[in-house]
Amino acid sequence: RCFKFASPSNKAVTGPWQRFRQMIANNPEYSPMLHPSRWEFVGAVALNDARKQLRVRVFPAGGSAAPFAIPPSVEYTFEVSLQPESESERAVSNCWCTDAVIAG
């Protein structure tokens, strides 16, 4: 589902969705995003009228504080932008879409 919310420029680099999913699933820093038990917004910063950074805490399914276990929570910074009105990208015109996700 998250690939649907990627910006067109992000999709051009990470797509198609099958490649995107493999990229997330095979990276231990990002794989907790695939099947979290829950998530919450931690904060947001408006960089300007069309760009924001959103801090999100993800609680992986099966997370534990035990050594070498899946961590109880992981934080990410989502960089999002308001997409311009566009005939070629009508599905995301005037929508906030993810440009990048940074772990840590």
Side-chain angles (χ1 to χ4, degrees), residues 2-86:
C2 61
F3 190 70
K4 289 182 181 181
F5 299 101
S7 67
S9 61
N10 188 352
K11 286 180 180 180
V13 175
T14 61
W17 74 266
Q18 296 92 336
R19 180 178 179 270
F20 177 80
R21 189 188 188 294
Q22 268 319 105
M23 190 174 65
I24 302 284
N26 293 333
N27 187 323
E29 282 189 304
Y30 292 93
S31 61
M33 292 194 304
L34 286 178
H35 303 287
S37 60
R38 67 187 175 97
W39 57 271
E40 63 189 19
F41 283 108
V42 177
V45 175
L47 303 175
N48 58 41
D49 289 344
R51 295 191 61 223
K52 295 182 182 184
Q53 287 185 333
L54 308 173
R55 193 76 176 152
V56 177
R57 183 174 295 131
V58 172
F59 296 86
S64 168
F68 307 107
I70 297 170
S73 68
V74 184
E75 290 192 12
Y76 300 95
T77 300
F78 284 72
E79 294 184 356
V80 299
S81 61
L82 183 60
Q83 300 304 298
E85 196 161 327
S86 166

Side-chain angles (χ1 to χ4, degrees), residues 79-101:
E79 294 184 356
V80 299
S81 61
L82 183 60
Q83 300 304 298
E85 196 161 327
S86 166
E87 281 296 315
S88 63
E89 298 290 347
R90 216 181 274 180
V92 295
S93 288
N94 298 312
C95 294
W96 288 93
C97 292
T98 303
D99 294 318
V101 179

